[in-house]
Amino acid sequence: MKSPLLASIVLLSGFTATTAFVPQTKPSLVQQHIHQYQQPTTTTDTALHASSAKNKKTSRSKWATSRNIHVSSSSNNDNDGGSSKKAPPKLIIAGAPASGKGTQCEIIKEKYGVVHLSTGDMLRAAVADETEVGKLAKDYMDSGKLVPDEVIIGVVKDRLQKTDCIQSGWLLDGFPRTPAQAEALAAQGITADCFIFLNVPDSVLVERVVGRRTDPVTGKIYHMTFSPPDDEEVLARLEQRSDDTEEKVMVRLEQFHANVEAVKGSYTDIAVEVDGTNKPEEVSEVIMSAIDAVLV
């Protein structure tokens, strides 16, 4: 397994911590799987690969330095004489509500073929599949209680061990949300290659949320400032969600900021912070470059 945490991209939203949590863990299922199928190399192959790997790492290092992205030497997959096969990406993305996280998740999924995972989807799937942790989660959900971290971590761990995640890699969307969850993931040996954080000022987030409107007929979402409908009939029937008010948005942002810095602190060595106020295509370009820099 890559030593503690690779320089990665994860989009999370506001947490505070003074120290980064960087645990030592055992090799993951992904790395065991790749090691099993690595092919032996000859002395000539090893020399050629070493030369190529050196050039790659030099180029990658220059790129990362120019963009203030830290790429640790342990995060490189190019070991002299080793296999050139890449491990599937293991990514985390974090960002506040309306930071553009959903849009970037779709782009990342399309580009890298990873399995996009949110805790809500994983919980519902575990309950439907009647797994052991799914049954535990259902008991809490049916009684109207919050599902405790240990159960959620169990659900996440089970999901990441499924064949599609092992073969294609994964993208955790907005999880972990608290430093306790980040530590629990690490304790289970679950590490990421890149932690991506979408940074957007609260004032911009509030504007994005408050201006959102939904067409009850088509379900399409518009924004009264950035993307209003051209059709007057559609404009007249648009509805605003009850929680898309400034007061309720500020409450959600307070909860987000209460934890985000601490969560980011758990992934200092693999974190990439991206300016989420730019156009989506510009944001995705920075994200892709950062991911590619650590997945060589």
Side-chain angles (χ1 to χ4, degrees):
M1 165 170 253
K2 300 171 194 139
S3 172
L5 296 166
L6 305 179
S8 321
I9 296 178
V10 177
L11 301 182
L12 287 175
S13 18
F15 308 126
T16 43
T18 55
T19 23
F21 183 80
V22 185
Q24 297 292 330
T25 57
K26 297 179 179 179
S28 70
L29 291 175
V30 173
Q31 291 169 317
Q32 293 173 18
H33 176 78
I34 290 171
H35 177 73
Q36 179 182 357
Y37 292 99
Q38 285 180 331
Q39 299 297 320
T41 56
T42 65
T43 303
T44 301
D45 291 337
T46 299
L48 290 174
H49 177 78
S51 176
S52 175
K54 183 177 180 180
N55 290 336
K56 285 182 181 178
K57 285 187 278 188
T58 300
S59 176
R60 188 163 64 248
S61 176
K62 289 180 179 179
W63 176 89
T65 301
S66 69
R67 291 161 176 76
N68 294 319
I69 295 175
H70 170 68
V71 182
S72 67
S73 58
S74 62
S75 71
N76 297 326
N77 290 331
D78 300 312
N79 296 315
D80 291 348
S83 170
S84 61
K85 183 177 181 180
K86 298 178 184 178
K90 297 181 292 182
L91 311 171
I92 299 173
I93 187 169
S99 63
K101 186 158 56 67
T103 297
Q104 296 306 320
C105 282
E106 287 301 314
I107 296 174
I108 293 171
K109 178 182 176 182
E110 178 69 20
K111 162 86 172 176
Y112 298 99
V114 294
V115 181
H116 177 205
L117 301 169
S118 68
T119 50
D121 290 342
M122 285 186 282
L123 280 171
R124 285 187 288 272
V127 170
D129 292 342
E130 297 185 341
T131 65
E132 289 302 315
V133 287
K135 292 175 182 177
L136 287 174
K138 186 176 186 299
D139 289 340
Y140 285 100
M141 294 163 71
D142 288 347
S143 60
K145 298 178 181 178
L146 291 175
V147 180
D149 281 351
E150 57 266 26
V151 176
I152 295 178
I153 295 299
V155 170
V156 174
K157 182 179 179 181
D158 283 358
R159 184 64 186 88
L160 296 184
Q161 290 177 339
K162 289 186 178 294
T163 303
D164 57 347
C165 288
I166 293 176
Q167 294 181 345
S168 302
W170 43 263
L171 170 64
L172 284 178
D173 180 355
F175 186 86
R177 288 186 174 87
T178 68
Q181 290 176 345
E183 292 179 8
L185 275 183
Q188 290 293 326
I190 300 172
T191 60
D193 297 317
C194 190
F195 179 90
I196 306 160
F197 177 67
L198 298 179
N199 188 13
V200 181
D202 284 0
S203 58
V204 176
L205 295 170
V206 170
E207 182 182 14
R208 288 180 178 180
V209 173
V210 173
R212 288 192 304 208
R213 298 292 187 275
T214 303
D215 183 346
V217 176
T218 65
K220 184 175 180 179
I221 298 177
Y222 295 90
H223 194 281
M224 301 308 293
T225 301
F226 307 124
S227 58
D230 297 325
D231 191 314
E232 290 294 331
E233 183 179 346
V234 173
L235 179 63
R237 67 179 184 236
L238 294 182
E239 298 176 349
Q240 183 180 33
R241 280 175 43 177
S242 60
D243 58 346
D244 278 355
T245 63
E246 183 171 355
E247 295 76 14
K248 292 185 177 180
V249 172
M250 291 307 299
V251 171
R252 289 154 64 191
L253 289 176
E254 287 176 8
Q255 295 173 342
F256 174 80
H257 291 307
N259 290 303
V260 70
E261 290 302 325
V263 171
K264 288 165 60 180
S266 297
Y267 298 102
T268 303
D269 290 344
I270 61 168
V272 175
E273 188 163 315
V274 183
D275 185 352
T277 63
N278 292 325
K279 295 179 180 179
E281 58 271 22
E282 295 174 348
V283 172
S284 65
E285 182 178 353
V286 174
I287 290 175
M288 300 308 166
S289 296
I291 294 176
D292 290 342
V294 298
L295 297 179
V296 177

